Amino acid sequence: MSNFDHFIGTRAVTPGQLFDTEALSSYLAAHLKGFKGPLNVEIFKGGQSNPTYKLLTPSASYVMRAKPGPVAKLLPSAHAVEREYKVMRGLQESAVPVPAMFCLCEDESVIGRAFYVMEFVEGRVLWDQSLPGMTPTERSAIYDEMNRVMAALHKVKFGECGLADYGKPGNYFERQIGRWSKQYQASLTQPIAEMDSLMQWLPANIPAGARDPGMVSIVHGDFRLDNLLFHPDQPRVLAVLDWELSTLGHPLADFSYHCMAWHIPPGTFRGIGGLDVASLGIPTEAEYIARYCARTGLTTPEALKADWNFYLAYNLFRLAAILQGIAKRVEAGTASSAQAVSSAAGAPVLAKMAWDFALKAQARA
């Protein structure tokens, strides 16, 4: 058994995530062209926020993403499956690969929570970022494809995709820091001193480049290797998944979040920090940044370096706040994965890493 077997494949639906399958089948018969039961339901093992189900019928399979419970029991603005549906529907004809969207149901009377149904895409989810079992050439190709897709996302003309209203204009970092501070405070289980320090330091130290009103793109919000579905035997992304945290925002916030992998050690958070990436065929962080800059033209590696510690501190703070939300859901009994408990324990670790980068940024200033 590998360290990631608990993420791979599907399992039976647990009692806490059960719903009325007959009601869902009736709804889909009326709203999904070509749908025909009987319907069987399994749940994917990997999800920790929005439970993801595999819907099986004699003629086709589908994927359903649902909120973990009714809106009244969830944190404000969290688990936004309706936003996931909107952004993937908008990106259907873009250079960003996404599954086909079939239907969105916000009526909680159907199965007790909002959900949407999309295409089931057959492919590989690569959970371990060191890509064991691959050659250096294969790893290099996977990382280059990941870089290409993220650059393509940040170059999308979102206004032409019907997504001009997908986020608020301006003050992205101020709003995000405020949002995650509130989410952290609303989900507090045990106080974390570094989070208190970061909530004060971050809004007071936003660099000029992060305030540039011209730097606006669709941001995924959780762009990482295991949120990409790769072709079964080619280094090609077939679908970008898990758009719950997406919005319009600063592309370098999104890209620097993605680059945290080079700083987080292997383990619970699935990073490559401390590994000999050159021998593995994985680009260094500097090489990866240079490729992104060349593909997007949004900045230069030199300009980005000056603000990099701030970006990393911000994103580690944000991820710590997300993990604290998981900790609260574990406490409330609404977490949708057996791995939620171990993930929740990571909030203090990431908060300390974030504060260390804040101190480095302060020393550089």
Side-chain angles (χ1 to χ4, degrees), residues 129-145 235 276-284 287 291:
Q129 298 197 16
S130 68
L131 300 174
M134 292 191 184
T135 66
T137 298
E138 289 169 335
R139 293 188 188 100
S140 177
I142 290 290
Y143 270 77
D144 193 62
E145 171 70 352
D276 183 358
V277 292
S279 69
L280 292 171
I282 295 172
T284 64
E287 290 168 341
R291 292 182 198 181

Side-chain angles (χ1 to χ4, degrees), residues 48-49 187 321-331 335 339-341 343-344:
Q48 292 184 7
S49 180
S187 57
I322 291 169
L323 295 187
Q324 186 60 45
I326 295 173
K328 190 68 172 180
R329 292 200 300 279
V330 169
E331 186 178 81
Q339 298 308 306
V341 175
S343 292

Side-chain angles (χ1 to χ4, degrees), residues 207-225:
R211 297 181 184 276
D212 184 348
M215 293 281 271
V216 181
S217 72
I218 299 171
V219 297
H220 180 276
D222 196 14
F223 194 99
R224 60 181 197 240
L225 181 68

Side-chain angles (χ1 to χ4, degrees), residues 102-148:
F102 294 141
C103 59
L104 168 69
C105 177
E106 297 179 86
D107 180 358
E108 292 187 347
S109 70
V110 178
I111 64 166
R113 64 199 73 175
F115 66 89
Y116 67 86
V117 176
M118 62 182 170
E119 173 190 13
F120 173 71
V121 180
E122 193 74 60
R124 293 177 291 165
V125 176
L126 303 172
W127 292 99
D128 189 332
Q129 298 197 16
S130 68
L131 300 174
M134 292 191 184
T135 66
T137 298
E138 289 169 335
R139 293 188 188 100
S140 177
I142 290 290
Y143 270 77
D144 193 62
E145 171 70 352
M146 189 161 53
N147 187 287
R148 182 195 69 79

